[in-house]
Amino acid sequence: KSSTFASDDVKYDTAAAPSYYGNGFSEEEIDYDTLSSENAAENDLSERKIIKTASLSYQTQAYDDFMDSMSRCVTSYGGYIESSEFYGNSMYSSRSSRSAYLTARIPSENYEKFMADAGNLGTLTYKSESQNDVTMSYVDVESHIKAFETERDSLMLLMEKSGSLSDVIALQSRLTEVNYQLDSYKSQLRKYDNLISYCTVNIDVIEVVREVLP
């Protein structure tokens, strides 16, 4: 089982916020949280952030019945079909077997029960499961969000106190950058939450004349 999270899935800038804000505003005037992501992670390891992924491959002589049963199984556990692809025609009308590729999303609390039931729906020829622990990355993103939110609030207070147009322009420029970073990190956190809350199960099935176990 893997304990890493692919860097291509979630990319974010880990560079620290610059210490210079232009026109005489020093870093000391921006009072934001400097707690490191490593320390934050150490204090929040009681709840692991796990992304679960599985793959299932089937053979079936009763293609239509299998598809109906799989759809009901996914729905019964509160899941949904995120994407689907279908190939071929009925083997009885054109001698071309049918096949399908589905991506199901299953609530993490129902994942084990779904996998147990799904394994009995047809002739299972392949099964794989993996778990990616993204706790440290998750806490790191949270820390960045907290730091930028604090900096944003401080910048807004400085703008209210500033009487110089040039200072206001400089502060507004930095505020725009901070808001952009906040939106980016919050988007990453939403993606993590989605992948953690709903496990991904890739399902492929092929219609056969005779089922043959590997």
Side-chain angles (χ1 to χ4, degrees), residues 14-170:
T14 58
S19 59
Y20 178 70
Y21 298 95
N23 291 329
F25 288 99
S26 64
E27 185 176 9
E28 286 74 14
E29 293 179 83
I30 306 298
D31 181 20
Y32 57 86
D33 187 6
T34 58
L35 179 65
S36 69
S37 59
E38 289 82 4
N39 290 337
E42 290 177 1
N43 295 328
D44 193 27
L45 293 181
S46 58
E47 183 180 352
R48 309 300 299 186
K49 303 296 183 181
I50 306 296
I51 296 175
K52 296 181 180 180
T53 305
S55 294
L56 302 172
S57 296
Y58 297 88
Q59 293 179 353
T60 182
Q61 293 176 284
Y63 179 86
D64 293 320
D65 291 341
F66 174 87
M67 295 300 291
D68 289 341
S69 297
M70 180 59 72
S71 178
R72 288 194 299 270
C73 186
V74 170
T75 302
S76 68
Y77 286 106
Y80 64 94
I81 302 297
E82 184 177 62
S83 64
S84 57
E85 299 176 15
F86 303 94
Y87 305 94
N89 299 308
S90 172
M91 62 185 298
Y92 301 108
S93 62
S94 64
R95 298 296 179 184
S96 176
S97 62
R98 293 173 290 180
S99 61
Y101 182 85
L102 312 173
T103 298
R105 302 298 304 281
I106 308 298
S108 57
E109 63 270 18
N110 296 331
Y111 171 77
E112 299 296 339
K113 293 180 180 179
F114 169 81
M115 291 294 290
D117 284 355
N120 298 320
L121 295 180
T123 300
L124 189 63
T125 60
Y126 175 80
K127 176 181 178 181
S128 71
E129 298 180 80
S130 65
Q131 297 187 49
N132 297 321
D133 188 339
V134 296
T135 306
M136 295 296 289
S137 297
Y138 190 96
V139 173
D140 185 63
V141 172
E142 286 186 317
S143 297
H144 279 82
I145 290 175
K146 184 176 180 181
F148 278 116
E149 284 179 337
T150 303
E151 182 182 356
R152 177 200 60 194
D153 295 341
S154 297
L155 286 167
M156 293 180 69
L157 288 174
L158 285 175
M159 287 181 64
E160 293 177 0
K161 298 177 181 179
S162 177
S164 168
L165 178 59
S166 60
D167 289 345
V168 170
I169 292 175

Side-chain angles (χ1 to χ4, degrees), residues 111 143 196-197 207:
Y111 171 77
S143 297
I196 294 167
S197 299
E207 184 179 32

